[in-house]
Amino acid sequence: MSASLIRFENVSKAFGSTVVIDDLNLDVRKGEFLTLLGPSGSGKTTTLLMLAGFEAPSGGTILVDGKRIDDLPAHRRGMGVVFQNYALFPHLTVAQNVAFPLQMRGVPRGEIARRVDAALDRVQLRHLSSRKPSQLSGGQQQRVALTRCLVFEPKVILMDEPLSALDKQLRERLQLEIRELYRREGLTVVFVTHDQSEALTMSDRIAVFNRGAIAQIGTPADIYDRPANRFVSEFIGETNLLEAEVTGRGDDHLDLALEGGPGIRVPGRCEDRAVAVSIRPERLVLDAPELDNHLDATVDDVVYQGNHLRIHLSCGPLRLVAQSERRIEPPVVGRKVRVSFAAEDCTVLTE
Amino acid sequence: MLIAPLVVFLAVFMLWPLWIMISLAIRDDEVSEVLPRTAAALADWNGEGIPGSAAGQALADDLRGAERTRLGPAVRRLNSDISGFRTLMARTQRAADDVTDGAPIDLVAVDERWGETRYWRAIANAVQPYTDRYLLAAVDLERDPDGAIASMPEGASANAAIIVRTFTIAGTVTAICVMIGLPYAMLIAATGGWVRNALLLSVLLPLWTSLLVRTTAWVILLQNEGLVNAAITGLGLSDTPLSLIFNRTGVVIAMTHVLLPFMVLPIFSVVNAIPRNLMPAAASLGAPPLRAFYRVLLPLSMPGVLAGSLLVFMVAIGYYITPALVGGADDQMVASVIAFFALETANWGMAGALGLILLAATTILFIVYGRLSRSGAPIGA
Amino acid sequence: MLRVIQVIFGTAVAAFLVVPIVAILPLAFTSSIFLNYPIPSASMRWFDELAEEPVWRMSIINSLVIGGAATLVSVVLGTAGALGLRHGRIPLGEAVRTMFLVPMVVPPVVLGVGLQITLVRLGLANSHLGVVVSHAVLCIPFVVVSVSTALAGIDTQVELAAASLGAGPLRTFRRVTFPLAFPGIVTGGVFAFATSLDEVVLTLFVAGPNQRTLARQMFSSIRENISPAIAAAAFLLIVGTLLLAGLVALLRWRERARPGASE
Ligand SMILES: Nc1ncnc2c1ncn2[C@@H]1O[C@H](COP(=O)(O)OP(=O)(O)O)[C@@H](O)[C@H]1O
Ligand SMILES: [Mg+2]
């Protein structure tokens, strides 16, 4: 892995007496696409604002290339920021917007014109260069905002929910465009979103935020398949989270009793007595005797969801959701079924 | 610190003037400035009998050397309490001039009236730096010789009547503005397209036009040979021209015209924000149109009516120009009387006292209005 | 039926509001010496009178000079004040804001009594400067309100964006904040000028014979010797304010045609 470009060391931030960020440690590696993902109010924006220099940390320090940047004002940090509502200058044309950072850096006139044209060319917006932002569509405004920040070749690009104001289709197209731009230009990106599917789509790594702290950081697959705690397992994707009691411990497995009695075997080790087990709905299979664990359940409801079925089940006091492909014969509501799952598809969570 | 220049500017040219105006109403240094030593000597006199000889001494010292121009108003003031003070003070000053500073003098020997308590009491009252006489006079009250508050004799002052008249005119205008403004604002909100724009423009146009011009217009229109009377006689509604100007009718018409936009705009902004589907919803729930209006639209419009009424009333009670130009002698409001006292008789105490009453009324209305609108900024600005 | 009532009522009220203003315009062009209809023939004599009669002439010049100066003073002070209040970090911010708006509601007569004495004490009685500052007091709230409104309409993220693109605080102000607030400043200035032009009451208290403004002159000639010159003066005021209103409307419209980055 390449070296860390940005490092948060024990950073905290309080507004008055409310602590918003609590002892944050985070590395952003050079050339990576790192996403800060978390529910609204979890401190993502605050983290980004501290990095951009719009908020001062209450404690700790932020390093860029190993140097502290605490005393550097925002306009000298050289970080590109893309704001949620684009923050284009409404009184300037597209070209003037894009020229702005170059003018601030004293780039000669001729070179500005050349670089602005080239940058607008790359996003196919050159024909709009004399328009005002209000005459552009949302997607075009978003591209101008991106271009304006790419044009001065910042060390890192910070984006705070840049796509949340767009409709779903446009959002998905721009996700790919941004990803493509990132790869082509070799950028380092810190991206903020509260949309987990957006995070999974775009990121090299995801830092999941919860109440001002990082709940888990890792690749999308890590986060999805091996959530470190209940918060992450519930926040990312959908899951069956079952309370359980440890009844036996093997070398690399645990025997658990679920609520209501049934026993299952899962991989892992732990010292606690009370744990939770997370099983993704698509890992629950009906009538698969070859798997490790089985539960007898009743079908409560079957919901068609286009390309798959959602099957709501109850097993004593437990409520489960299974997801299966349309190809199988849909179970009849009220019928007794046997639900099976592999031991390695279970994640034991202690916190 | 960008606000500092403006704060200083307003402190000097707004707060200080207002403070001066307030102090005009309650300060009374006409006499105490001319007779400072007397004031000091009388400070701990209990008002019974006659004060000790030190007071007479101080009075003589004050009078000796007193400038005629400053003594004049003070004596006039004392003479208005007890007539005869003028001659008494003149004689005393002559006597004082004959002795040197600090030499003992027996005032009772100069004039035996100095042996009477009431003359000393009048001076003792007059040298108090603060007074309530102007404020009392503003509502036709005064202090009788014993210091108790009492009504002024009938016909001595018309101030209370003028205050009542001010509130009556402002109230009438406010009521008429509600009666015209509420349906008109609802009408604007209910229409669309060019009609709505035309109706709105006819509210904004007067708002934009100079107040003086609008008042002038009414002076011209309402005169006996004016267009309004021409129309009335032309239509055969009356044989002789109606008297519409220099009376209450003219004042109310012109002020309604001037203030109506301040009523329409707040109501319109409230009514316009009421969701369009509430009346259909009420209808679907079984309310006939009139019931729906009374139960839904009217209550929801009330905040606008309240804001507009406060605004109109607040502006109306301070009106000067319109009554001055369109009204007769019996239609002048408090502001006119203040201007009269200040500009023509230099009676600053009365100007200040009436101003203070007007300011207090406006302040209360402004605070209520601010609470209601929460924005603090009057609408229509 | 309801519809008929609505039409009649709406027309009547609109006519009540507009007709008086329109009705006096033609009288400015009467050739008669009476300020009344019918107009015997059209003539410019009353405009000539305004231009030639020394009192009218002086009052027009005074109005323009005093109005211009009061506008300048109130725009400079009011804009600075609005900027200072903007982020609400001032202690007692609400009280200060209220103070800035108070001149709008204090009865002018009350302010006039106090200002007359204040200006005497400051040695500004019967001076142009005294009238200018008095008018500026009344104009300031309009500037503060319209500049504050313009500033409130600026998305603060736009200024953060400028910083992130390398603009320091001063350049951010010059290149971003000021241009965006400019229409509001002009609007405030127009309001200020119109306010000063129309001011009578304070002028009565603080102006000497040499500071007579057009409005003040109109006021006393209506009281003393009413003549069509008043209609001519009113014509000038109406046309002047309508032109100014048009300017503001144009600015507002341009602003609206440019909803900015906030969507
Ligand atoms: N300027 C501020 N003053 C007070 N509280 C703030 C301020 N900015 C953010 N907060 C609080 O900090 C918390 C985190 O906010 P934020 O970083 O914007 O969250 P996110 O971007 O993850 O939604 C929220 O509870 C928010 O209310
Ligand atoms: Mg956020």
Side-chain angles (χ1 to χ4, degrees), chain A residues 240 242 256 258 262-267 277-296 313 315 318 320 322 338-347:
Chain A
N240 292 293
L242 309 173
L256 305 177
L258 297 178
I264 61 171
R265 174 163 290 191
V266 299
V277 187
S278 159
I279 314 162
R280 298 287 177 192
E282 67 272 18
R283 303 296 183 190
L284 291 180
V285 190
L286 300 191
D287 299 316
E290 72 281 7
L291 297 180
D292 311 309
N293 296 304
H294 308 281
L295 298 173
D296 288 317
L313 303 153
C315 167
L318 299 177
L320 301 171
R338 167 159 281 210
V339 184
S340 312
F341 50 95
E344 72 260 26
D345 289 335
C346 301
T347 310

Coordinates of all heavy atoms in Angstrom, one line a residue, chain A residues 240 242 256 258 262-267 277-296 313 315 318 320 322 338-347:
Chain A
N240 N -30.1 -10.1 9.2 CA -30.8 -10.7 10.3 C -29.9 -10.6 11.5 O -28.9 -11.2 11.5 CB -31.2 -12.1 10.0 CG -32.2 -12.2 8.9 OD1 -33.4 -11.8 9.1 ND2 -31.8 -12.7 7.8
L242 N -29.5 -11.6 15.3 CA -30.1 -12.5 16.2 C -29.3 -12.5 17.5 O -28.1 -12.6 17.6 CB -30.2 -13.9 15.7 CG -30.8 -14.0 14.3 CD1 -30.7 -15.5 13.8 CD2 -32.2 -13.6 14.3
L256 N -24.0 -21.8 19.9 CA -24.9 -20.8 20.4 C -26.3 -21.3 20.5 O -26.7 -22.1 19.8 CB -24.9 -19.6 19.4 CG -23.6 -18.9 19.1 CD1 -23.8 -17.8 18.0 CD2 -22.9 -18.4 20.3
L258 N -30.0 -19.7 20.3 CA -30.7 -18.5 19.9 C -31.9 -18.3 20.8 O -32.3 -19.3 21.6 CB -31.2 -18.7 18.4 CG -30.2 -18.8 17.4 CD1 -30.8 -18.9 16.0 CD2 -29.3 -17.6 17.4
P262 N -33.4 -22.8 19.7 CA -32.6 -23.5 18.7 C -31.1 -23.3 18.8 O -30.7 -22.1 19.2 CB -33.1 -23.1 17.4 CG -33.8 -21.8 17.7 CD -34.3 -21.9 19.1
G263 N -30.3 -24.3 18.6 CA -28.8 -24.2 18.7 C -28.2 -24.1 17.3 O -28.7 -24.7 16.4
I264 N -27.2 -23.3 17.2 CA -26.4 -23.3 15.9 C -25.0 -23.3 16.2 O -24.5 -23.0 17.4 CB -26.8 -22.0 15.1 CG1 -26.5 -20.7 15.9 CG2 -28.3 -22.0 14.7 CD1 -26.6 -19.5 15.0
R265 N -24.2 -23.5 15.2 CA -22.7 -23.5 15.4 C -22.1 -22.5 14.4 O -22.5 -22.4 13.2 CB -22.1 -24.9 15.0 CG -20.6 -24.9 15.0 CD -20.1 -26.4 15.1 NE -20.4 -26.9 16.4 CZ -19.8 -28.1 16.8 NH1 -19.0 -28.8 16.0 NH2 -20.0 -28.6 18.0
V266 N -21.3 -21.6 14.9 CA -20.7 -20.6 14.1 C -19.2 -20.6 14.3 O -18.7 -21.0 15.3 CB -21.3 -19.2 14.5 CG1 -22.8 -19.2 14.3 CG2 -20.9 -18.8 15.9
P267 N -18.5 -20.0 13.3 CA -17.0 -20.0 13.5 C -16.7 -18.8 14.4 O -17.4 -17.9 14.6 CB -16.5 -19.7 12.0 CG -17.6 -19.0 11.4 CD -18.9 -19.5 12.0
V277 N -25.6 -12.5 16.4 CA -25.2 -13.2 15.2 C -25.9 -12.4 14.0 O -27.1 -12.1 14.0 CB -25.6 -14.6 15.1 CG1 -25.0 -15.3 13.9 CG2 -25.3 -15.3 16.3
S278 N -25.0 -12.0 13.0 CA -25.6 -11.4 11.8 C -25.5 -12.3 10.7 O -24.5 -12.9 10.4 CB -24.7 -10.1 11.6 OG -24.9 -9.7 10.3
I279 N -26.7 -12.5 10.0 CA -26.7 -13.3 8.8 C -27.5 -12.6 7.7 O -28.6 -12.1 7.9 CB -27.5 -14.7 9.1 CG1 -27.1 -15.3 10.4 CG2 -27.3 -15.6 7.9 CD1 -28.1 -16.3 10.9
R280 N -26.8 -12.3 6.6 CA -27.4 -11.6 5.5 C -28.6 -12.4 4.9 O -28.6 -13.6 4.8 CB -26.4 -11.4 4.4 CG -25.2 -10.5 4.8 CD -25.5 -9.1 4.9 NE -24.4 -8.3 5.4 CZ -24.5 -7.1 5.9 NH1 -25.6 -6.5 5.9 NH2 -23.4 -6.4 6.2
P281 N -29.7 -11.7 4.5 CA -30.9 -12.5 4.0 C -30.6 -13.4 2.9 O -31.2 -14.5 2.7 CB -31.8 -11.3 3.6 CG -31.4 -10.1 4.3 CD -29.9 -10.3 4.6
E282 N -29.6 -13.0 2.0 CA -29.4 -13.8 0.8 C -28.6 -15.1 1.2 O -28.4 -16.0 0.4 CB -28.7 -13.0 -0.3 CG -27.2 -12.6 0.1 CD -27.2 -11.2 0.8 OE1 -28.2 -10.8 1.3 OE2 -26.1 -10.6 0.8
R283 N -28.1 -15.2 2.5 CA -27.4 -16.4 2.9 C -28.4 -17.4 3.5 O -28.0 -18.5 3.9 CB -26.4 -16.0 3.9 CG -25.4 -15.0 3.5 CD -24.5 -15.5 2.3 NE -23.5 -14.6 1.9 CZ -22.8 -14.7 0.8 NH1 -23.0 -15.7 0.0 NH2 -21.9 -13.7 0.6
L284 N -29.6 -17.0 3.7 CA -30.6 -18.0 4.3 C -31.2 -18.7 3.1 O -31.7 -18.1 2.2 CB -31.7 -17.2 5.0 CG -31.3 -16.6 6.4 CD1 -32.6 -15.9 7.0 CD2 -30.8 -17.6 7.3
V285 N -31.2 -20.0 3.2 CA -31.7 -20.8 2.1 C -32.8 -21.8 2.6 O -32.7 -22.3 3.7 CB -30.5 -21.7 1.5 CG1 -31.0 -22.3 0.2 CG2 -29.3 -20.8 1.3
L286 N -33.8 -22.0 1.8 CA -34.8 -22.9 2.2 C -34.5 -24.4 1.7 O -34.0 -24.6 0.6 CB -36.2 -22.6 1.5 CG -36.7 -21.2 1.9 CD1 -38.2 -21.0 1.4 CD2 -36.6 -20.9 3.4
D287 N -34.6 -25.3 2.6 CA -34.4 -26.7 2.3 C -33.0 -27.0 1.7 O -33.0 -27.3 0.5 CB -35.5 -27.2 1.4 CG -36.8 -27.1 2.2 OD1 -36.9 -27.5 3.4 OD2 -37.8 -26.6 1.6
A288 N -32.0 -26.8 2.4 CA -30.6 -27.1 1.9 C -29.9 -28.0 2.9 O -29.2 -27.4 3.7 CB -29.8 -25.8 1.6
P289 N -30.2 -29.2 2.9 CA -29.7 -30.1 4.0 C -28.2 -30.2 4.1 O -27.7 -30.5 5.2 CB -30.3 -31.5 3.7 CG -30.9 -31.4 2.3 CD -31.0 -29.9 1.9
E290 N -27.5 -29.8 3.0 CA -26.0 -29.9 3.1 C -25.4 -28.8 4.0 O -24.2 -28.9 4.4 CB -25.4 -29.8 1.7 CG -25.5 -28.5 1.0 CD -26.8 -28.1 0.4 OE1 -27.8 -28.9 0.6 OE2 -26.9 -27.1 -0.3
L291 N -26.1 -27.8 4.4 CA -25.5 -26.7 5.1 C -25.4 -27.0 6.6 O -26.0 -28.0 7.1 CB -26.3 -25.4 4.9 CG -26.3 -24.9 3.5 CD1 -27.1 -23.6 3.4 CD2 -24.9 -24.6 3.0
D292 N -24.7 -26.2 7.4 CA -24.4 -26.5 8.8 C -25.6 -26.4 9.7 O -25.8 -27.1 10.6 CB -23.2 -25.7 9.3 CG -22.1 -25.6 8.4 OD1 -21.6 -26.7 7.9 OD2 -21.6 -24.5 8.0
N293 N -26.3 -25.3 9.6 CA -27.3 -24.9 10.6 C -28.7 -24.9 9.9 O -28.9 -24.6 8.8 CB -27.0 -23.5 11.1 CG -25.7 -23.5 11.9 OD1 -25.5 -24.2 12.8 ND2 -24.8 -22.6 11.4
H294 N -29.6 -25.4 10.8 CA -31.0 -25.4 10.3 C -32.0 -24.9 11.4 O -31.7 -25.1 12.6 CB -31.4 -26.9 10.0 CG -30.4 -27.5 9.1 ND1 -30.4 -27.3 7.7 CD2 -29.4 -28.4 9.4 CE1 -29.4 -28.0 7.2 NE2 -28.7 -28.6 8.2
L295 N -33.0 -24.2 10.9 CA -34.0 -23.7 11.8 C -35.4 -24.1 11.2 O -35.6 -24.0 10.0 CB -34.0 -22.2 12.0 CG -32.7 -21.6 12.6 CD1 -32.8 -20.1 12.5 CD2 -32.5 -22.0 14.0
D296 N -36.3 -24.5 12.1 CA -37.7 -24.8 11.6 C -38.5 -23.5 11.8 O -38.5 -22.9 12.8 CB -38.3 -25.9 12.4 CG -37.7 -27.2 12.1 OD1 -37.4 -27.5 10.9 OD2 -37.3 -28.0 13.0
L313 N -40.1 -14.9 7.7 CA -40.3 -16.1 8.4 C -40.4 -15.9 9.9 O -39.8 -14.9 10.4 CB -39.1 -17.0 8.1 CG -38.7 -17.3 6.7 CD1 -37.3 -17.6 6.5 CD2 -39.6 -18.5 6.2
C315 N -39.6 -18.0 13.6 CA -39.2 -19.2 14.2 C -39.3 -19.0 15.7 O -38.4 -18.4 16.3 CB -37.7 -19.5 13.8 SG -36.8 -20.7 14.7
L318 N -38.3 -15.6 17.0 CA -37.4 -14.9 16.1 C -38.2 -14.5 14.8 O -39.0 -15.3 14.3 CB -36.3 -15.9 15.7 CG -35.4 -16.4 16.8 CD1 -34.4 -17.4 16.3 CD2 -34.7 -15.2 17.4
L320 N -37.3 -13.6 10.9 CA -36.2 -13.6 9.9 C -36.6 -13.2 8.5 O -37.8 -13.2 8.2 CB -35.7 -15.1 9.8 CG -35.2 -15.8 11.0 CD1 -34.9 -17.2 10.7 CD2 -33.9 -15.1 11.5
A322 N -35.5 -13.8 4.5 CA -34.6 -14.5 3.6 C -34.9 -13.9 2.2 O -36.0 -13.4 1.9 CB -35.0 -16.0 3.5
R338 N -37.9 -25.5 6.4 CA -36.6 -25.6 7.1 C -35.7 -24.6 6.5 O -35.4 -24.6 5.3 CB -36.1 -27.0 6.9 CG -34.6 -27.2 7.3 CD -34.3 -28.6 7.7 NE -34.8 -29.0 9.0 CZ -34.2 -29.9 9.7 NH1 -33.2 -30.5 9.3 NH2 -34.7 -30.2 10.9
V339 N -35.1 -23.7 7.3 CA -34.2 -22.6 6.9 C -32.8 -23.0 7.2 O -32.5 -23.4 8.3 CB -34.5 -21.3 7.6 CG1 -33.6 -20.2 7.0 CG2 -36.0 -20.9 7.5
S340 N -31.9 -23.0 6.2 CA -30.6 -23.4 6.4 C -29.6 -22.3 6.1 O -29.8 -21.4 5.3 CB -30.3 -24.6 5.5 OG -31.3 -25.6 5.6
F341 N -28.4 -22.4 6.8 CA -27.3 -21.4 6.4 C -26.0 -22.0 6.9 O -25.9 -22.8 7.8 CB -27.5 -20.1 7.1 CG -27.9 -20.1 8.5 CD1 -26.9 -20.0 9.5 CD2 -29.2 -20.3 9.0 CE1 -27.2 -20.0 10.8 CE2 -29.5 -20.4 10.3 CZ -28.5 -20.2 11.3
A342 N -24.9 -21.6 6.1 CA -23.6 -22.1 6.4 C -23.0 -21.4 7.6 O -23.3 -20.2 7.9 CB -22.7 -21.9 5.2
A343 N -22.2 -22.1 8.4 CA -21.6 -21.5 9.5 C -20.7 -20.3 9.2 O -20.7 -19.3 9.9 CB -20.7 -22.5 10.3
E344 N -20.0 -20.4 8.0 CA -19.1 -19.2 7.7 C -19.9 -18.0 7.2 O -19.3 -16.9 7.1 CB -18.1 -19.6 6.7 CG -18.6 -19.8 5.3 CD -18.8 -21.3 4.9 OE1 -19.0 -22.1 5.9 OE2 -18.8 -21.7 3.8
D345 N -21.2 -18.1 7.0 CA -22.0 -16.9 6.6 C -22.5 -16.2 7.9 O -23.1 -15.1 7.7 CB -23.1 -17.3 5.8 CG -22.7 -17.7 4.4 OD1 -21.6 -17.3 4.0 OD2 -23.4 -18.5 3.7
C346 N -22.1 -16.7 9.0 CA -22.5 -16.0 10.3 C -21.4 -15.1 10.8 O -20.3 -15.6 10.8 CB -22.9 -17.0 11.4 SG -24.2 -18.1 10.9
T347 N -21.8 -13.9 11.2 CA -20.7 -13.1 11.9 C -21.2 -12.9 13.3 O -22.3 -12.5 13.6 CB -20.6 -11.7 11.2 OG1 -20.5 -12.0 9.8 CG2 -19.4 -11.0 11.7

